[in-house]
Amino acid sequence: MKLQKASSFALFAVLELAANPTRQLSGVEIAAKYGISVHHLAKVLRDLGRAGIVDGARGVGGGYRLIANPKRLTLLDVIQVFEPVGSDSGASGGLKALTDPESALRVILDELDDHTVATFRSISISTMLKLMAAKPWAHSSRVFRPARTAAGRA
Amino acid sequence: MTAISTMKPLAEPRTSEAIRIRPATGSDLAELTRIDEEVSGVAKRKYWTHLLASGGGRSRYVLVAEEQNQIQGFIVGEIRAWEFGEPPCGWVFAIEVRPKTRLQGIGTDLFSALCDRFRRAGVTKVRTIMARDNHLVLSFFRSQGMMAGPFIELEMALDRNG
Ligand SMILES: CC(C)(COP(=O)(O)OP(=O)(O)OC[C@H]1O[C@@H](n2cnc3c(N)ncnc32)[C@H](O)[C@@H]1OP(=O)(O)O)[C@@H](O)C(=O)NCCC(=O)NCCS
């Protein structure tokens, strides 16, 4: 699956801030590290601020820090600020009765959505930091596919 | 289903001096049944009686975390060979810690003690399976470094009339 740019940028920013708890980082620093647009990241940081996840000074040079608890903040919490995750019952046509093929397809898509939500919800930012330190992708090509992880950054 | 290979565990064992992890014995039956009922809401005396009676087997492990002679939590695991066509692998069937003593590293200690026993038995992989909506236990296993494994769990309701 692919995340929207804003969600990926937000996760990079949150992970950077969580990895540097004693230091404030500016949007410029984070954007430079990931080679992403400073302007877009500034907007993402503003949204994270409004969601109560980060706190920081205004302006591109201002420093940010994580105010949410990284042990309890999950991937789902961050991603949901920018895009809906999982089944959106309203998207299946509202009150209109579904045809059998539509209903059958809905069941399968809901299955996938349930897995996606459970996965994002079970991984905290602290767990992500531990994962980054352990680098399991370096030991097992079966569990991790770095190429697809990289695609999520697009 | 989640599985972890020979990858280094993500969580460091944090056993405090006061906590002791040891195999369960028959005399733990009443306390284990009580903790399980407290956490899961279901009393399973028969299950525990059977588990502890067969616990002496080579591949079944029931470990308890004890603090000042009181059991604070347990983990149940087993090494199973050739289930689902797979070579021997360690399974975690249950882990529970008393609500009052959670978030002090007892769950991590129980899990790491079980993994040590699996390793000593020559097993290089540990797996578990759990309810998708059990966020707490899923977060716990994720924090230990477990990831999705190569299986997909499927089920269907059995029609009484076949
Ligand atoms: C899951 C359980 C065993 C964890 O035991 P514990 O002793 O609290 O675990 P630890 O203190 O070792 O916690 C290890 C990590 O698990 C994760 N974790 C534990 N509780 C958590 C919670 N409430 N929310 C989010 N993450 C949590 C954290 O990453 C934690 O690391 P941290 O303390 O650095 O944040 C315990 O909460 C429990 O018994 N829950 C009910 C179990 C159950 O329903 N069992 C039936 C099915 S098997």
Side-chain angles (χ1 to χ4, degrees), chain A residues 72 111 114-115 118-119 121-123 127 130-131 134 136 139 142-144, chain B residues 5 7-8 10-11 14 86 103 125 132 135 138-139 142-144 147-148 150:
Chain A
R72 295 293 167 266
E111 224 181 68
D114 286 351
H115 270 281
T119 301
R121 178 178 277 153
S122 68
I123 302 177
T127 294
K130 288 192 229 169
L131 193 61
H139 315 296
R142 197 160 149 216
V143 175
F144 275 87
Chain B
S5 61
M7 188 183 122
K8 219 174 85 202
L10 293 191
R14 300 180 284 187
E86 284 281 299
L103 288 174
K125 200 165 278 190
R132 203 160 45 210
H135 313 309
L138 262 175
S139 303
R142 287 285 189 179
S143 82
Q144 305 301 310
M147 308 289 294

PDB file of all heavy atoms in Angstrom, chain A residues 72 111 114-115 118-119 121-123 127 130-131 134 136 139 142-144, chain B residues 5 7-8 10-11 14 86 103 125 132 135 138-139 142-144 147-148 150:
ATOM      1  N   ARG A  72       2.997   5.893  23.309  1.00  0.00           N
ATOM      2  CA  ARG A  72       1.560   5.692  23.089  1.00  0.00           C
ATOM      3  C   ARG A  72       1.090   6.211  21.736  1.00  0.00           C
ATOM      4  O   ARG A  72       0.003   5.867  21.293  1.00  0.00           O
ATOM      5  CB  ARG A  72       0.761   6.363  24.212  1.00  0.00           C
ATOM      6  CG  ARG A  72       0.977   5.760  25.569  1.00  0.00           C
ATOM      7  CD  ARG A  72       0.421   4.356  25.653  1.00  0.00           C
ATOM      8  NE  ARG A  72       0.887   3.678  26.847  1.00  0.00           N
ATOM      9  CZ  ARG A  72       1.950   2.889  26.894  1.00  0.00           C
ATOM     10  NH1 ARG A  72       2.654   2.648  25.796  1.00  0.00           N
ATOM     11  NH2 ARG A  72       2.332   2.328  28.006  1.00  0.00           N
ATOM     12  N   GLU A 111     -11.833  -6.754   4.830  1.00  0.00           N
ATOM     13  CA  GLU A 111     -10.850  -7.659   5.426  1.00  0.00           C
ATOM     14  C   GLU A 111      -9.461  -6.994   5.402  1.00  0.00           C
ATOM     15  O   GLU A 111      -8.753  -6.960   6.404  1.00  0.00           O
ATOM     16  CB  GLU A 111     -10.793  -8.917   4.553  1.00  0.00           C
ATOM     17  CG  GLU A 111     -10.783 -10.224   5.307  1.00  0.00           C
ATOM     18  CD  GLU A 111     -10.700 -11.411   4.347  1.00  0.00           C
ATOM     19  OE1 GLU A 111      -9.658 -11.590   3.695  1.00  0.00           O
ATOM     20  OE2 GLU A 111     -11.686 -12.157   4.261  1.00  0.00           O
ATOM     21  N   ASP A 114      -9.263  -3.974   7.754  1.00  0.00           N
ATOM     22  CA  ASP A 114      -9.137  -4.351   9.165  1.00  0.00           C
ATOM     23  C   ASP A 114      -7.685  -4.652   9.517  1.00  0.00           C
ATOM     24  O   ASP A 114      -7.200  -4.293  10.579  1.00  0.00           O
ATOM     25  CB  ASP A 114      -9.998  -5.588   9.468  1.00  0.00           C
ATOM     26  CG  ASP A 114     -11.477  -5.238   9.509  1.00  0.00           C
ATOM     27  OD1 ASP A 114     -11.803  -4.045   9.466  1.00  0.00           O
ATOM     28  OD2 ASP A 114     -12.296  -6.179   9.577  1.00  0.00           O
ATOM     29  N   HIS A 115      -7.004  -5.336   8.589  1.00  0.00           N
ATOM     30  CA  HIS A 115      -5.589  -5.659   8.829  1.00  0.00           C
ATOM     31  C   HIS A 115      -4.752  -4.388   8.864  1.00  0.00           C
ATOM     32  O   HIS A 115      -3.869  -4.232   9.704  1.00  0.00           O
ATOM     33  CB  HIS A 115      -5.061  -6.577   7.721  1.00  0.00           C
ATOM     34  CG  HIS A 115      -5.240  -8.019   8.060  1.00  0.00           C
ATOM     35  ND1 HIS A 115      -4.404  -8.678   8.916  1.00  0.00           N
ATOM     36  CD2 HIS A 115      -6.166  -8.913   7.661  1.00  0.00           C
ATOM     37  CE1 HIS A 115      -4.815  -9.932   9.027  1.00  0.00           C
ATOM     38  NE2 HIS A 115      -5.881 -10.099   8.298  1.00  0.00           N
ATOM     39  N   ALA A 118      -5.375  -2.517  12.140  1.00  0.00           N
ATOM     40  CA  ALA A 118      -4.783  -3.218  13.287  1.00  0.00           C
ATOM     41  C   ALA A 118      -3.267  -3.057  13.285  1.00  0.00           C
ATOM     42  O   ALA A 118      -2.641  -2.881  14.332  1.00  0.00           O
ATOM     43  CB  ALA A 118      -5.166  -4.692  13.254  1.00  0.00           C
ATOM     44  N   THR A 119      -2.670  -3.090  12.103  1.00  0.00           N
ATOM     45  CA  THR A 119      -1.203  -2.974  12.014  1.00  0.00           C
ATOM     46  C   THR A 119      -0.756  -1.564  12.403  1.00  0.00           C
ATOM     47  O   THR A 119       0.102  -1.391  13.268  1.00  0.00           O
ATOM     48  CB  THR A 119      -0.732  -3.313  10.584  1.00  0.00           C
ATOM     49  OG1 THR A 119      -1.147  -4.644  10.287  1.00  0.00           O
ATOM     50  CG2 THR A 119       0.782  -3.221  10.474  1.00  0.00           C
ATOM     51  N   ARG A 121      -2.280   0.594  14.129  1.00  0.00           N
ATOM     52  CA  ARG A 121      -2.631   0.923  15.509  1.00  0.00           C
ATOM     53  C   ARG A 121      -1.716   0.230  16.523  1.00  0.00           C
ATOM     54  O   ARG A 121      -1.563   0.691  17.649  1.00  0.00           O
ATOM     55  CB  ARG A 121      -4.082   0.522  15.761  1.00  0.00           C
ATOM     56  CG  ARG A 121      -4.546   0.774  17.169  1.00  0.00           C
ATOM     57  CD  ARG A 121      -5.986   0.407  17.334  1.00  0.00           C
ATOM     58  NE  ARG A 121      -6.852   1.483  16.885  1.00  0.00           N
ATOM     59  CZ  ARG A 121      -8.084   1.312  16.433  1.00  0.00           C
ATOM     60  NH1 ARG A 121      -8.582   0.102  16.324  1.00  0.00           N
ATOM     61  NH2 ARG A 121      -8.804   2.344  16.076  1.00  0.00           N
ATOM     62  N   SER A 122      -1.112  -0.867  16.124  1.00  0.00           N
ATOM     63  CA  SER A 122      -0.309  -1.634  17.087  1.00  0.00           C
ATOM     64  C   SER A 122       1.148  -1.187  17.121  1.00  0.00           C
ATOM     65  O   SER A 122       1.919  -1.661  17.941  1.00  0.00           O
ATOM     66  CB  SER A 122      -0.379  -3.127  16.755  1.00  0.00           C
ATOM     67  OG  SER A 122       0.287  -3.385  15.531  1.00  0.00           O
ATOM     68  N   ILE A 123       1.530  -0.269  16.231  1.00  0.00           N
ATOM     69  CA  ILE A 123       2.943   0.130  16.192  1.00  0.00           C
ATOM     70  C   ILE A 123       3.091   1.558  16.692  1.00  0.00           C
ATOM     71  O   ILE A 123       2.607   2.502  16.075  1.00  0.00           O
ATOM     72  CB  ILE A 123       3.511  -0.040  14.769  1.00  0.00           C
ATOM     73  CG1 ILE A 123       3.339  -1.510  14.360  1.00  0.00           C
ATOM     74  CG2 ILE A 123       4.979   0.363  14.720  1.00  0.00           C
ATOM     75  CD1 ILE A 123       3.768  -1.833  12.967  1.00  0.00           C
ATOM     76  N   THR A 127       8.199   1.920  19.186  1.00  0.00           N
ATOM     77  CA  THR A 127       8.463   0.623  18.535  1.00  0.00           C
ATOM     78  C   THR A 127       9.145   0.850  17.185  1.00  0.00           C
ATOM     79  O   THR A 127      10.059   0.111  16.814  1.00  0.00           O
ATOM     80  CB  THR A 127       7.147  -0.172  18.377  1.00  0.00           C
ATOM     81  OG1 THR A 127       6.669  -0.519  19.683  1.00  0.00           O
ATOM     82  CG2 THR A 127       7.336  -1.442  17.574  1.00  0.00           C
ATOM     83  N   LYS A 130      12.771   1.483  17.776  1.00  0.00           N
ATOM     84  CA  LYS A 130      13.487   0.235  18.080  1.00  0.00           C
ATOM     85  C   LYS A 130      13.714  -0.570  16.797  1.00  0.00           C
ATOM     86  O   LYS A 130      14.771  -1.156  16.602  1.00  0.00           O
ATOM     87  CB  LYS A 130      12.665  -0.602  19.072  1.00  0.00           C
ATOM     88  CG  LYS A 130      12.636  -0.038  20.487  1.00  0.00           C
ATOM     89  CD  LYS A 130      12.062  -1.087  21.428  1.00  0.00           C
ATOM     90  CE  LYS A 130      10.985  -0.552  22.327  1.00  0.00           C
ATOM     91  NZ  LYS A 130      10.252  -1.591  23.044  1.00  0.00           N
ATOM     92  N   LEU A 131      12.702  -0.563  15.950  1.00  0.00           N
ATOM     93  CA  LEU A 131      12.785  -1.281  14.675  1.00  0.00           C
ATOM     94  C   LEU A 131      13.889  -0.682  13.798  1.00  0.00           C
ATOM     95  O   LEU A 131      14.672  -1.403  13.175  1.00  0.00           O
ATOM     96  CB  LEU A 131      11.431  -1.153  13.979  1.00  0.00           C
ATOM     97  CG  LEU A 131      11.121  -2.037  12.787  1.00  0.00           C
ATOM     98  CD1 LEU A 131      11.163  -3.490  13.196  1.00  0.00           C
ATOM     99  CD2 LEU A 131       9.723  -1.702  12.262  1.00  0.00           C
ATOM    100  N   ALA A 134      17.142  -1.868  15.143  1.00  0.00           N
ATOM    101  CA  ALA A 134      17.400  -3.307  14.953  1.00  0.00           C
ATOM    102  C   ALA A 134      17.613  -3.666  13.474  1.00  0.00           C
ATOM    103  O   ALA A 134      18.233  -4.674  13.169  1.00  0.00           O
ATOM    104  CB  ALA A 134      16.248  -4.126  15.521  1.00  0.00           C
ATOM    105  N   PRO A 136      15.787  -5.020  10.955  1.00  0.00           N
ATOM    106  CA  PRO A 136      15.546  -6.419  10.569  1.00  0.00           C
ATOM    107  C   PRO A 136      15.658  -6.639   9.068  1.00  0.00           C
ATOM    108  O   PRO A 136      15.942  -7.735   8.628  1.00  0.00           O
ATOM    109  CB  PRO A 136      14.126  -6.687  11.079  1.00  0.00           C
ATOM    110  CG  PRO A 136      13.505  -5.356  11.239  1.00  0.00           C
ATOM    111  CD  PRO A 136      14.605  -4.403  11.581  1.00  0.00           C
ATOM    112  N   HIS A 139      18.655  -8.431   7.856  1.00  0.00           N
ATOM    113  CA  HIS A 139      18.840  -9.872   8.092  1.00  0.00           C
ATOM    114  C   HIS A 139      17.881 -10.724   7.284  1.00  0.00           C
ATOM    115  O   HIS A 139      18.139 -11.877   7.055  1.00  0.00           O
ATOM    116  CB  HIS A 139      18.597 -10.220   9.568  1.00  0.00           C
ATOM    117  CG  HIS A 139      19.259  -9.272  10.499  1.00  0.00           C
ATOM    118  ND1 HIS A 139      20.620  -9.153  10.558  1.00  0.00           N
ATOM    119  CD2 HIS A 139      18.748  -8.390  11.397  1.00  0.00           C
ATOM    120  CE1 HIS A 139      20.920  -8.217  11.461  1.00  0.00           C
ATOM    121  NE2 HIS A 139      19.808  -7.746  11.972  1.00  0.00           N
ATOM    122  N   ARG A 142      12.743 -11.614   3.545  1.00  0.00           N
ATOM    123  CA  ARG A 142      11.376 -12.112   3.443  1.00  0.00           C
ATOM    124  C   ARG A 142      10.400 -11.222   4.209  1.00  0.00           C
ATOM    125  O   ARG A 142       9.304 -10.955   3.767  1.00  0.00           O
ATOM    126  CB  ARG A 142      11.347 -13.513   4.032  1.00  0.00           C
ATOM    127  CG  ARG A 142      10.148 -14.308   3.656  1.00  0.00           C
ATOM    128  CD  ARG A 142      10.474 -15.748   3.859  1.00  0.00           C
ATOM    129  NE  ARG A 142       9.289 -16.485   4.221  1.00  0.00           N
ATOM    130  CZ  ARG A 142       9.291 -17.490   5.065  1.00  0.00           C
ATOM    131  NH1 ARG A 142      10.417 -17.866   5.652  1.00  0.00           N
ATOM    132  NH2 ARG A 142       8.193 -18.134   5.335  1.00  0.00           N
ATOM    133  N   VAL A 143      10.851 -10.761   5.362  1.00  0.00           N
ATOM    134  CA  VAL A 143       9.949  -9.990   6.199  1.00  0.00           C
ATOM    135  C   VAL A 143       9.854  -8.551   5.691  1.00  0.00           C
ATOM    136  O   VAL A 143       8.791  -7.982   5.597  1.00  0.00           O
ATOM    137  CB  VAL A 143      10.449 -10.004   7.661  1.00  0.00           C
ATOM    138  CG1 VAL A 143       9.580  -9.105   8.518  1.00  0.00           C
ATOM    139  CG2 VAL A 143      10.450 -11.420   8.210  1.00  0.00           C
ATOM    140  N   PHE A 144      10.981  -7.975   5.327  1.00  0.00           N
ATOM    141  CA  PHE A 144      10.989  -6.578   4.912  1.00  0.00           C
ATOM    142  C   PHE A 144      11.323  -6.411   3.448  1.00  0.00           C
ATOM    143  O   PHE A 144      12.165  -7.120   2.919  1.00  0.00           O
ATOM    144  CB  PHE A 144      12.067  -5.821   5.700  1.00  0.00           C
ATOM    145  CG  PHE A 144      11.571  -5.354   7.010  1.00  0.00           C
ATOM    146  CD1 PHE A 144      11.637  -6.190   8.102  1.00  0.00           C
ATOM    147  CD2 PHE A 144      11.009  -4.117   7.152  1.00  0.00           C
ATOM    148  CE1 PHE A 144      11.173  -5.773   9.314  1.00  0.00           C
ATOM    149  CE2 PHE A 144      10.540  -3.691   8.366  1.00  0.00           C
ATOM    150  CZ  PHE A 144      10.618  -4.518   9.449  1.00  0.00           C
TER     151      PHE A 144
ATOM    152  N   SER B   5      12.133 -13.904  13.392  1.00  0.00           N
ATOM    153  CA  SER B   5      13.140 -14.909  13.080  1.00  0.00           C
ATOM    154  C   SER B   5      14.288 -14.774  14.048  1.00  0.00           C
ATOM    155  O   SER B   5      14.112 -14.407  15.197  1.00  0.00           O
ATOM    156  CB  SER B   5      13.597 -14.745  11.642  1.00  0.00           C
ATOM    157  OG  SER B   5      14.165 -13.481  11.507  1.00  0.00           O
ATOM    158  N   MET B   7      16.230 -12.572  14.348  1.00  0.00           N
ATOM    159  CA  MET B   7      16.480 -11.157  14.608  1.00  0.00           C
ATOM    160  C   MET B   7      16.637 -10.882  16.106  1.00  0.00           C
ATOM    161  O   MET B   7      15.983 -11.509  16.928  1.00  0.00           O
ATOM    162  CB  MET B   7      15.257 -10.403  14.101  1.00  0.00           C
ATOM    163  CG  MET B   7      15.360  -8.948  14.088  1.00  0.00           C
ATOM    164  SD  MET B   7      13.746  -8.357  13.526  1.00  0.00           S
ATOM    165  CE  MET B   7      13.302  -7.335  14.902  1.00  0.00           C
ATOM    166  N   LYS B   8      17.508  -9.929  16.415  1.00  0.00           N
ATOM    167  CA  LYS B   8      17.711  -9.554  17.815  1.00  0.00           C
ATOM    168  C   LYS B   8      16.404  -9.039  18.405  1.00  0.00           C
ATOM    169  O   LYS B   8      15.715  -8.253  17.760  1.00  0.00           O
ATOM    170  CB  LYS B   8      18.737  -8.412  17.829  1.00  0.00           C
ATOM    171  CG  LYS B   8      19.723  -8.503  18.971  1.00  0.00           C
ATOM    172  CD  LYS B   8      20.774  -7.430  18.810  1.00  0.00           C
ATOM    173  CE  LYS B   8      20.305  -6.129  19.397  1.00  0.00           C
ATOM    174  NZ  LYS B   8      20.891  -4.935  18.971  1.00  0.00           N
ATOM    175  N   LEU B  10      13.762  -6.702  20.132  1.00  0.00           N
ATOM    176  CA  LEU B  10      13.786  -5.240  20.222  1.00  0.00           C
ATOM    177  C   LEU B  10      13.822  -4.777  21.663  1.00  0.00           C
ATOM    178  O   LEU B  10      14.374  -3.746  21.975  1.00  0.00           O
ATOM    179  CB  LEU B  10      12.542  -4.649  19.565  1.00  0.00           C
ATOM    180  CG  LEU B  10      12.374  -4.804  18.055  1.00  0.00           C
ATOM    181  CD1 LEU B  10      11.240  -3.943  17.587  1.00  0.00           C
ATOM    182  CD2 LEU B  10      13.632  -4.440  17.316  1.00  0.00           C
ATOM    183  N   ALA B  11      13.156  -5.519  22.551  1.00  0.00           N
ATOM    184  CA  ALA B  11      13.054  -5.057  23.935  1.00  0.00           C
ATOM    185  C   ALA B  11      14.099  -5.750  24.803  1.00  0.00           C
ATOM    186  O   ALA B  11      14.335  -6.938  24.667  1.00  0.00           O
ATOM    187  CB  ALA B  11      11.664  -5.351  24.460  1.00  0.00           C
ATOM    188  N   ARG B  14      14.024  -6.519  31.475  1.00  0.00           N
ATOM    189  CA  ARG B  14      14.196  -5.486  32.507  1.00  0.00           C
ATOM    190  C   ARG B  14      13.852  -6.008  33.882  1.00  0.00           C
ATOM    191  O   ARG B  14      13.361  -5.271  34.715  1.00  0.00           O
ATOM    192  CB  ARG B  14      13.289  -4.300  32.212  1.00  0.00           C
ATOM    193  CG  ARG B  14      13.534  -3.639  30.905  1.00  0.00           C
ATOM    194  CD  ARG B  14      12.590  -2.492  30.723  1.00  0.00           C
ATOM    195  NE  ARG B  14      11.245  -2.958  30.388  1.00  0.00           N
ATOM    196  CZ  ARG B  14      10.268  -2.148  30.056  1.00  0.00           C
ATOM    197  NH1 ARG B  14      10.464  -0.870  30.035  1.00  0.00           N
ATOM    198  NH2 ARG B  14       9.073  -2.619  29.764  1.00  0.00           N
ATOM    199  N   GLU B  86       5.589 -26.594   8.742  1.00  0.00           N
ATOM    200  CA  GLU B  86       6.759 -25.817   9.138  1.00  0.00           C
ATOM    201  C   GLU B  86       7.673 -26.596  10.087  1.00  0.00           C
ATOM    202  O   GLU B  86       7.189 -27.354  10.918  1.00  0.00           O
ATOM    203  CB  GLU B  86       6.296 -24.559   9.881  1.00  0.00           C
ATOM    204  CG  GLU B  86       5.749 -23.494   8.981  1.00  0.00           C
ATOM    205  CD  GLU B  86       6.821 -22.690   8.297  1.00  0.00           C
ATOM    206  OE1 GLU B  86       7.622 -22.037   8.996  1.00  0.00           O
ATOM    207  OE2 GLU B  86       6.858 -22.702   7.066  1.00  0.00           O
ATOM    208  N   LEU B 103       3.068  -2.578  32.872  1.00  0.00           N
ATOM    209  CA  LEU B 103       3.965  -1.489  32.445  1.00  0.00           C
ATOM    210  C   LEU B 103       5.197  -1.356  33.339  1.00  0.00           C
ATOM    211  O   LEU B 103       5.736  -0.270  33.509  1.00  0.00           O
ATOM    212  CB  LEU B 103       3.205  -0.149  32.366  1.00  0.00           C
ATOM    213  CG  LEU B 103       2.224  -0.058  31.198  1.00  0.00           C
ATOM    214  CD1 LEU B 103       1.409   1.218  31.261  1.00  0.00           C
ATOM    215  CD2 LEU B 103       2.963  -0.123  29.859  1.00  0.00           C
ATOM    216  N   LYS B 125      12.636 -19.615  15.790  1.00  0.00           N
ATOM    217  CA  LYS B 125      11.529 -18.713  15.451  1.00  0.00           C
ATOM    218  C   LYS B 125      10.420 -18.816  16.482  1.00  0.00           C
ATOM    219  O   LYS B 125      10.150 -19.900  16.981  1.00  0.00           O
ATOM    220  CB  LYS B 125      10.991 -19.079  14.071  1.00  0.00           C
ATOM    221  CG  LYS B 125      10.217 -17.977  13.419  1.00  0.00           C
ATOM    222  CD  LYS B 125      10.022 -18.231  11.952  1.00  0.00           C
ATOM    223  CE  LYS B 125      11.250 -17.823  11.148  1.00  0.00           C
ATOM    224  NZ  LYS B 125      11.001 -17.834   9.704  1.00  0.00           N
ATOM    225  N   ARG B 132      -7.344  -9.577  16.287  1.00  0.00           N
ATOM    226  CA  ARG B 132      -6.910  -8.352  15.607  1.00  0.00           C
ATOM    227  C   ARG B 132      -7.279  -7.105  16.396  1.00  0.00           C
ATOM    228  O   ARG B 132      -6.638  -6.082  16.311  1.00  0.00           O
ATOM    229  CB  ARG B 132      -7.591  -8.332  14.240  1.00  0.00           C
ATOM    230  CG  ARG B 132      -6.937  -7.534  13.219  1.00  0.00           C
ATOM    231  CD  ARG B 132      -7.351  -7.934  11.834  1.00  0.00           C
ATOM    232  NE  ARG B 132      -8.794  -8.136  11.710  1.00  0.00           N
ATOM    233  CZ  ARG B 132      -9.328  -8.997  10.844  1.00  0.00           C
ATOM    234  NH1 ARG B 132      -8.548  -9.720  10.070  1.00  0.00           N
ATOM    235  NH2 ARG B 132     -10.629  -9.126  10.750  1.00  0.00           N
ATOM    236  N   HIS B 135      -5.701  -4.574  20.834  1.00  0.00           N
ATOM    237  CA  HIS B 135      -4.630  -3.602  20.590  1.00  0.00           C
ATOM    238  C   HIS B 135      -3.521  -3.708  21.606  1.00  0.00           C
ATOM    239  O   HIS B 135      -2.347  -3.536  21.302  1.00  0.00           O
ATOM    240  CB  HIS B 135      -5.184  -2.177  20.611  1.00  0.00           C
ATOM    241  CG  HIS B 135      -6.418  -2.004  19.803  1.00  0.00           C
ATOM    242  ND1 HIS B 135      -6.492  -2.413  18.500  1.00  0.00           N
ATOM    243  CD2 HIS B 135      -7.636  -1.505  20.115  1.00  0.00           C
ATOM    244  CE1 HIS B 135      -7.705  -2.167  18.033  1.00  0.00           C
ATOM    245  NE2 HIS B 135      -8.425  -1.611  18.998  1.00  0.00           N
ATOM    246  N   LEU B 138      -1.382  -6.808  20.899  1.00  0.00           N
ATOM    247  CA  LEU B 138      -0.700  -6.574  19.617  1.00  0.00           C
ATOM    248  C   LEU B 138       0.430  -5.568  19.792  1.00  0.00           C
ATOM    249  O   LEU B 138       1.538  -5.778  19.300  1.00  0.00           O
ATOM    250  CB  LEU B 138      -1.694  -6.018  18.600  1.00  0.00           C
ATOM    251  CG  LEU B 138      -2.326  -6.983  17.606  1.00  0.00           C
ATOM    252  CD1 LEU B 138      -3.364  -6.262  16.770  1.00  0.00           C
ATOM    253  CD2 LEU B 138      -1.275  -7.588  16.696  1.00  0.00           C
ATOM    254  N   SER B 139       0.159  -4.473  20.532  1.00  0.00           N
ATOM    255  CA  SER B 139       1.201  -3.460  20.760  1.00  0.00           C
ATOM    256  C   SER B 139       2.351  -4.063  21.542  1.00  0.00           C
ATOM    257  O   SER B 139       3.520  -3.767  21.286  1.00  0.00           O
ATOM    258  CB  SER B 139       0.658  -2.274  21.560  1.00  0.00           C
ATOM    259  OG  SER B 139      -0.436  -1.715  20.913  1.00  0.00           O
ATOM    260  N   ARG B 142       4.371  -6.314  19.202  1.00  0.00           N
ATOM    261  CA  ARG B 142       5.090  -5.450  18.268  1.00  0.00           C
ATOM    262  C   ARG B 142       6.301  -4.828  18.955  1.00  0.00           C
ATOM    263  O   ARG B 142       7.371  -4.713  18.378  1.00  0.00           O
ATOM    264  CB  ARG B 142       4.181  -4.339  17.754  1.00  0.00           C
ATOM    265  CG  ARG B 142       3.151  -4.795  16.776  1.00  0.00           C
ATOM    266  CD  ARG B 142       3.782  -5.062  15.441  1.00  0.00           C
ATOM    267  NE  ARG B 142       2.795  -5.309  14.415  1.00  0.00           N
ATOM    268  CZ  ARG B 142       3.115  -5.559  13.140  1.00  0.00           C
ATOM    269  NH1 ARG B 142       4.370  -5.577  12.765  1.00  0.00           N
ATOM    270  NH2 ARG B 142       2.187  -5.780  12.254  1.00  0.00           N
ATOM    271  N   SER B 143       6.108  -4.419  20.215  1.00  0.00           N
ATOM    272  CA  SER B 143       7.213  -3.763  20.936  1.00  0.00           C
ATOM    273  C   SER B 143       8.350  -4.748  21.181  1.00  0.00           C
ATOM    274  O   SER B 143       9.482  -4.348  21.411  1.00  0.00           O
ATOM    275  CB  SER B 143       6.729  -3.180  22.264  1.00  0.00           C
ATOM    276  OG  SER B 143       6.672  -4.190  23.257  1.00  0.00           O
ATOM    277  N   GLN B 144       8.035  -6.041  21.140  1.00  0.00           N
ATOM    278  CA  GLN B 144       9.073  -7.051  21.322  1.00  0.00           C
ATOM    279  C   GLN B 144       9.793  -7.358  20.006  1.00  0.00           C
ATOM    280  O   GLN B 144      10.729  -8.150  19.972  1.00  0.00           O
ATOM    281  CB  GLN B 144       8.469  -8.352  21.882  1.00  0.00           C
ATOM    282  CG  GLN B 144       7.685  -8.182  23.169  1.00  0.00           C
ATOM    283  CD  GLN B 144       8.523  -7.608  24.289  1.00  0.00           C
ATOM    284  OE1 GLN B 144       9.618  -8.090  24.580  1.00  0.00           O
ATOM    285  NE2 GLN B 144       8.033  -6.553  24.919  1.00  0.00           N
ATOM    286  N   MET B 147       6.796  -9.292  13.909  1.00  0.00           N
ATOM    287  CA  MET B 147       6.292  -8.723  12.652  1.00  0.00           C
ATOM    288  C   MET B 147       5.352  -9.728  12.012  1.00  0.00           C
ATOM    289  O   MET B 147       5.300 -10.874  12.432  1.00  0.00           O
ATOM    290  CB  MET B 147       7.463  -8.494  11.677  1.00  0.00           C
ATOM    291  CG  MET B 147       8.632  -7.703  12.215  1.00  0.00           C
ATOM    292  SD  MET B 147       8.241  -5.980  12.430  1.00  0.00           S
ATOM    293  CE  MET B 147       7.985  -5.495  10.738  1.00  0.00           C
ATOM    294  N   ALA B 148       4.657  -9.311  10.966  1.00  0.00           N
ATOM    295  CA  ALA B 148       3.777 -10.250  10.264  1.00  0.00           C
ATOM    296  C   ALA B 148       4.609 -11.391   9.703  1.00  0.00           C
ATOM    297  O   ALA B 148       5.700 -11.176   9.175  1.00  0.00           O
ATOM    298  CB  ALA B 148       3.046  -9.535   9.137  1.00  0.00           C
ATOM    299  N   PRO B 150       4.684 -15.273   7.433  1.00  0.00           N
ATOM    300  CA  PRO B 150       4.292 -15.658   6.070  1.00  0.00           C
ATOM    301  C   PRO B 150       2.949 -16.363   5.962  1.00  0.00           C
ATOM    302  O   PRO B 150       2.619 -16.877   4.908  1.00  0.00           O
ATOM    303  CB  PRO B 150       5.419 -16.608   5.653  1.00  0.00           C
ATOM    304  CG  PRO B 150       5.867 -17.220   6.929  1.00  0.00           C
ATOM    305  CD  PRO B 150       5.664 -16.210   8.009  1.00  0.00           C
TER     306      PRO B 150
END
